[in-house]
Amino acid sequence: MTPADFPPGQIPRLPHLPERIRGLEPIAYNLWWSWQGQAWEMFRALDAQLWRESDENPIRLLEVLPEEALQSAASDSAFLALYDAVFERFRAAVASRAGWFPAEHRGLAGPLAYFSAEYAFHSSLPLYAGGLGVLAGDYVKELSDLAVPAVAVGLIYSRGYVTQRIRDDGFQEEEELTLARVADPITAVLDANGSPLVVPLTLFDPPVHVTLWRADVGRVPVFLLDTDIALNQPWDRAIAHHLYATSPEQRLRQEIVLGIGGMRALRALGIHPSAVHINEGHPALALLERMCECGEEGASFDEALSRVRTTSIFTTHTPVAAGTDVFPFALMEKYFSAFRSRLSDDCQRVFALGVDPANPAAGFNMTVFALRAAGASNAVSRRHGEAARKMWAPLWPDRKPEEVPISAITNGVHLSTWMNPFAIQPLLDRYLGPGWRDNQDRAAIWALVERIPDRELWQAHQELKARLFGEIRERARRRWESGSVRAESVVAQGSLLDPEIFTIGFARRFTGYKRPDLILFDLDRLKRILLDPWHPTQIVFAGKAHPSDAEGRRLIQSVFRLAQDPALGARIAFVENYDQELALHMVCGVDLWLNNPLPPLEASGTSGMKAAVNGVPNLSILDGWWIEGFNGENGWAFGAEAGEGDRSPSDADAIYRLLERQIIPLYYRQSAEEMPHEFIRVMKRAISSVAPAFGTRRMAKEYVEKLYVPALSPPK
Ligand SMILES: *Cc1c(COP(=O)(O)O)cnc(C)c1O
């Protein structure tokens, strides 16, 4: 196996690479590198400054790196040692099919096809809006790590990446960036003649032509559908412009392309999935296309439904009815009359699968359809499972709510991505032994976290905090340099944060139910906490609001205005443009992770898991995953019981009380060597309790064992 063997097709795209380090190209084009600390080090070693300027995108780096720099790397023994080590691991991880799945489930054929409307793998390929995309990205990485035979399907959003700028008045402005397909870690999928493969979707009139891009995530190919090509009319091109189009018709068209187009694209590629996993309702029409395929093979409607059910899995992510897509029947009729001949003479039978008995006139409900067309459905935490069973109980009128067939598999985070590879993972290598990655879902190995000397964990954390603050200052400096911002906004962006001070982080999408302003509820009390002369505190906020979410924008504005206010002494910062890259800095660089959504609206939440595995304890309301994660000694919890009515006053009071009486005193109770041993104990418990139970390793094995194995097992 030589570098030229990966991936098939279009190598070399970086023809100027010296022969000795030719393997940099396949590594750069496989997002596998992004969860290998050693690979980051290797790219940075080529040119630290250019690495930064290329936004840590190795393809850009290799394109701009001068020939001499490459030549000298190719003869530098220290660089070559690093390169050889990375390439060897790449070969073992990507070229080999061996791993947990084939060892445990011999004889089970694949592949599994995983469908999701968004994916977050690395900031060089921004195809996500928030937590759902991060989860899908983490999960695909884990499927690769476990060698599960899988392909993933998604959409490309050529203008979907929105950069957030906060004006001096706190108003969020969005700047659209166009995805530069050539510099991104994707390659065009070609047909036998070497031209881009085109899949026509005749369901549309005129037909919409879909081309495909391939991203490689370790061993899992991700096929991204694109309609923004010259063959299509403007409205059809726009299907692939933005994540979650706001017009219902365009949204339906996106979901047709994702689900139906996705299945047809796989067929055009000669990929015939044995089972299909639908991540949230958006791609659910893939199951309709599967039913039609059965219909064309002669199956009746009922047979088709039953066949598809045994091999389909659906994961629901939202505990609110308003979070599901419902399309008016008239719209459905417009696009789906073509299905009559393929499946059933009676369109109404198809449409009936999407009728919510609680609201039959509303239209075709994607979640309801998916629950009926997939034989196995699950929610994303235990609490969410209870909520989902109650919410969808009308679909199973003859069952009690607890018998509703929606199971629960709690989300997780990909540890190799989210545990800091430069400060935290090396501590684990040293004190847990290098085998921890292979055994990361076993609680026993994490007991060894207790062996990490307090000083080493504390120093690692201080280093990460300094890096976060350095990143924040650099962003603020660049904004200041751009000349378009007032001084108080530079302060609001965090330029005066103090690394000696206890720091709370709050970063996620700004939207009403997440209550980002809850901690601002009693400003006088908050001010006393922040400006305490002996035990001061600061808060770093970050998060985007959906462009059409007026409430979310208002929340950003109110936080930003406070951050500008001298009366708060620069103890509140709002950092612009929250994305995966900033998240990677924040989840390990603050001292406490705050989460206070309005229960029971957080289906799971994952950012708190990312913080915990880096030794950043959670202060979180008991909702979503934290009900399962909190054990009394790995962080702080509140809000278990609340009466009727507005619970914000009591929730805010609980946050203040925990900060004032427990958390801040614990943080500042430092020994002679300036270490808060009791706080460090909570940090260690956070790592050791959360890492084994809330990693994608545990999560993916659960999906495989509970849902995939039955779906992939050949019918008797
Ligand atoms: C993890 C993550 C989220 C999800 O955060 P929650 O607090 O679980 O809502 C959103 N955005 C980014 C960039 C993330 O990394």
Side-chain angles (χ1 to χ4, degrees):
M1 169 82 45
T2 70
D5 294 326
F6 321 78
Q10 305 174 2
I11 282 186
R13 286 156 295 193
L14 300 166
H16 59 299
L17 290 180
E19 195 50 41
R20 177 67 177 80
I21 52 174
R22 179 126 291 288
L24 287 175
E25 177 173 318
I27 297 173
Y29 273 93
N30 191 315
L31 287 152
W32 172 88
W33 74 265
S34 70
W35 71 94
Q36 311 297 324
Q38 221 179 10
W40 289 74
E41 275 169 34
M42 175 183 76
F43 287 122
R44 198 172 43 199
L46 284 169
D47 187 319
Q49 187 56 28
L50 279 181
W51 174 239
R52 222 188 127 78
E53 280 171 24
S54 57
D55 293 328
E56 303 186 339
N57 174 348
I59 297 169
R60 282 177 207 265
L61 171 77
L62 294 174
E63 278 170 352
V64 297
L65 205 63
E67 194 98 28
E68 313 84 72
L70 287 167
Q71 291 301 347
S72 83
S75 55
D76 174 44
S77 59
F79 180 81
L80 290 176
L82 192 53
Y83 165 80
D84 288 338
V86 172
F87 188 73
E88 199 39 51
R89 285 176 52 192
F90 176 64
R91 193 156 66 163
V94 174
S96 143
R97 292 285 138 199
W100 174 82
F101 184 91
E104 292 290 316
H105 301 285
R106 222 177 297 261
L108 275 195
L112 169 89
Y114 182 77
F115 281 70
S116 178
E118 46 176 305
Y119 291 100
F121 300 115
H122 177 255
S123 47
S124 56
L125 191 58
L127 302 174
Y128 67 97
L132 181 70
V134 178
L135 178 86
D138 275 14
Y139 187 64
V140 169
K141 292 174 185 177
E142 191 64 53
L143 292 177
S144 169
D145 289 346
L146 290 175
V148 178
V151 298
V153 179
L155 286 176
I156 212 134
Y157 304 103
S158 55
R159 303 186 194 168
Y161 188 41
V162 171
T163 312
Q164 177 195 54
R165 289 258 166 276
I166 310 295
R167 283 193 331 217
D168 287 322
D169 62 2
F171 188 82
Q172 166 179 289
E173 288 179 330
E174 300 100 23
E175 187 189 329
E176 245 178 34
L177 292 187
T178 302
L179 198 71
R181 293 172 177 76
V182 282
D184 294 316
I186 51 177
T187 47
V189 175
L190 307 180
D191 63 16
N193 303 320
S195 328
L197 183 73
V198 176
V199 181
L201 290 182
T202 48
L203 185 74
F204 296 98
D205 181 22
V208 170
H209 298 91
V210 175
T211 57
L212 297 173
W213 298 88
R214 172 177 170 147
D216 284 281
V217 178
R219 306 182 237 218
V220 180
V222 182
F223 295 103
L224 299 163
L225 302 119
D226 192 356
T227 65
D228 191 8
I229 53 171
L231 277 175
N232 289 327
Q233 309 282 339
W235 195 39
D236 299 334
R237 297 185 68 148
I239 291 173
H241 280 176
H242 297 281
L243 199 60
Y244 306 135
T246 36
S247 124
E249 181 160 4
Q250 190 70 314
R251 175 83 75 99
L252 175 61
R253 288 152 46 87
Q254 284 187 315
E255 298 189 6
I256 291 171
V257 170
L258 175 61
I260 293 172
M263 280 308 297
R264 294 203 191 158
L266 290 180
R267 204 171 346 144
L269 291 164
I271 297 171
H272 303 283
S274 312
V276 168
H277 182 172
I278 300 296
N279 188 44
E280 189 53 308
H282 319 106
L285 294 172
L287 304 185
L288 183 57
E289 177 63 18
R290 297 192 82 202
M291 287 174 64
C292 291
E293 286 176 6
C294 296
E296 281 163 350
E297 289 163 11
S300 70
F301 182 91
D302 292 317
E303 281 165 1
L305 179 59
S306 134
R307 260 200 252 164
V308 169
R309 278 178 54 81
T310 54
T311 54
S312 299
I313 292 123
F314 168 58
T315 302
T316 173
H317 288 264
T318 171
V320 278
T324 61
D325 286 322
V326 183
F327 297 107
F329 289 116
L331 256 188
M332 294 294 292
E333 193 73 49
K334 176 167 170 190
Y335 290 96
F336 289 89
S337 45
F339 275 74
R340 260 166 237 197
S341 55
R342 294 186 68 204
L343 185 61
S344 156
D345 287 339
D346 180 4
C347 228
Q348 296 313 317
R349 286 205 74 184
V350 175
F351 290 171
L353 293 174
V355 170
D356 179 359
N359 198 355
F364 189 88
N365 183 314
M366 283 291 177
T367 299
V368 169
F369 169 70
L371 287 167
R372 289 201 177 105
S377 296
N378 73 289
V380 293
S381 72
R382 280 185 224 149
R383 158 69 77 90
H384 178 221
E386 289 161 24
R389 285 188 289 274
K390 210 176 288 168
M391 182 168 155
W392 300 114
L395 268 67
W396 288 272
D398 49 348
R399 297 194 191 201
K400 297 193 200 119
E402 61 274 20
E403 292 166 356
V404 166
I406 302 175
S407 63
I409 297 180
T410 305
N411 283 342
V413 294
H414 188 248
L415 296 191
S416 303
T417 296
W418 292 103
M419 286 183 119
N420 185 276
F422 310 113
I424 300 296
Q425 291 191 37
L427 281 181
L428 304 179
D429 291 338
R430 203 166 323 138
Y431 293 99
L432 274 59
W436 69 268
R437 284 184 189 79
D438 293 333
N439 294 297
Q440 58 180 272
D441 53 337
R442 302 209 180 138
I445 198 157
W446 294 96
L448 299 176
V449 166
E450 296 295 331
R451 286 201 197 158
I452 302 174
D454 283 6
R455 191 180 337 96
E456 291 191 34
L457 181 57
W458 190 242
Q459 275 170 358
H461 180 66
Q462 297 314 307
E463 187 189 320
L464 293 171
K465 194 170 173 182
R467 278 193 202 209
L468 166 67
F469 287 22
E471 174 71 22
I472 291 174
R473 265 198 311 277
E474 174 57 16
R475 286 172 182 232
R477 190 195 63 74
R478 269 185 262 144
R479 280 285 266 143
W480 179 239
E481 185 187 30
S482 75
S484 58
V485 62
R486 288 209 301 263
E488 65 262 37
S489 299
V490 180
V491 173
Q493 309 253 1
S495 53
L496 296 185
L497 288 172
D498 180 346
E500 301 289 318
I501 292 181
F502 175 64
T503 304
I504 301 172
F506 183 104
R508 51 183 56 82
R509 187 155 277 279
F510 268 53
T511 188
Y513 86 88
K514 301 257 193 193
R515 297 193 293 181
D517 59 344
L518 186 66
I519 197 167
L520 315 175
F521 186 83
D522 179 344
L523 269 185
D524 290 328
R525 192 165 174 193
L526 178 65
K527 217 187 275 182
R528 282 197 297 279
I529 293 172
L530 300 182
L531 297 172
D532 182 309
W534 304 109
H535 296 161
T537 294
Q538 55 198 1
I539 312 176
V540 180
F541 288 93
K544 294 175 184 165
H546 189 277
S548 59
D549 180 356
E551 165 81 347
R553 288 161 163 279
R554 189 193 62 71
L555 289 164
I556 288 174
Q557 192 156 28
S558 59
V559 170
F560 197 79
R561 297 298 266 278
L562 279 179
Q564 289 173 315
D565 184 349
L568 282 141
R571 293 282 154 76
I572 292 184
F574 183 95
V575 184
E576 279 174 339
N577 204 32
Y578 186 57
D579 63 2
Q580 198 174 6
E581 194 196 343
L582 183 57
L584 281 166
H585 279 103
M586 281 191 71
V587 295
C588 60
V590 298
D591 299 311
L592 182 77
W593 197 254
L594 175 67
N595 187 30
N596 47 238
L598 191 63
L601 300 184
E602 183 97 300
S604 165
T606 52
S607 65
M609 303 172 186
K610 301 169 194 165
V613 299
N614 283 293
V616 173
N618 280 258
L619 165 57
S620 173
I621 202 160
L622 283 164
D623 196 19
W625 80 281
W626 193 231
I627 296 173
E628 295 158 58
F630 178 59
N631 68 8
E633 51 184 29
N634 59 354
W636 293 270
F638 63 94
E641 67 287 307
E644 296 292 301
D646 182 9
R647 57 180 294 163
S648 291
S650 63
D651 285 340
D653 180 62
I655 292 173
Y656 298 135
R657 216 156 4 102
L658 282 167
L659 286 171
E660 291 160 346
R661 297 191 193 166
Q662 296 190 34
I663 303 170
I664 297 172
L666 205 64
Y667 183 87
Y668 283 108
R669 196 177 302 147
Q670 306 205 345
S671 64
E673 332 85 282
E674 302 198 327
M675 266 188 295
H677 292 289
E678 289 168 75
F679 192 88
I680 294 169
R681 187 164 62 206
V682 182
M683 293 170 65
K684 288 183 180 174
R685 298 281 154 89
I687 299 174
S688 62
S689 62
V690 174
F694 300 96
T696 42
R697 181 65 46 94
R698 184 274 310 152
M699 170 192 167
K701 284 186 179 177
E702 248 187 280
Y703 273 96
V704 167
E705 279 158 2
K706 294 184 177 159
L707 308 180
Y708 296 169
V709 167
L712 288 170
S713 300
K716 303 262 152 32

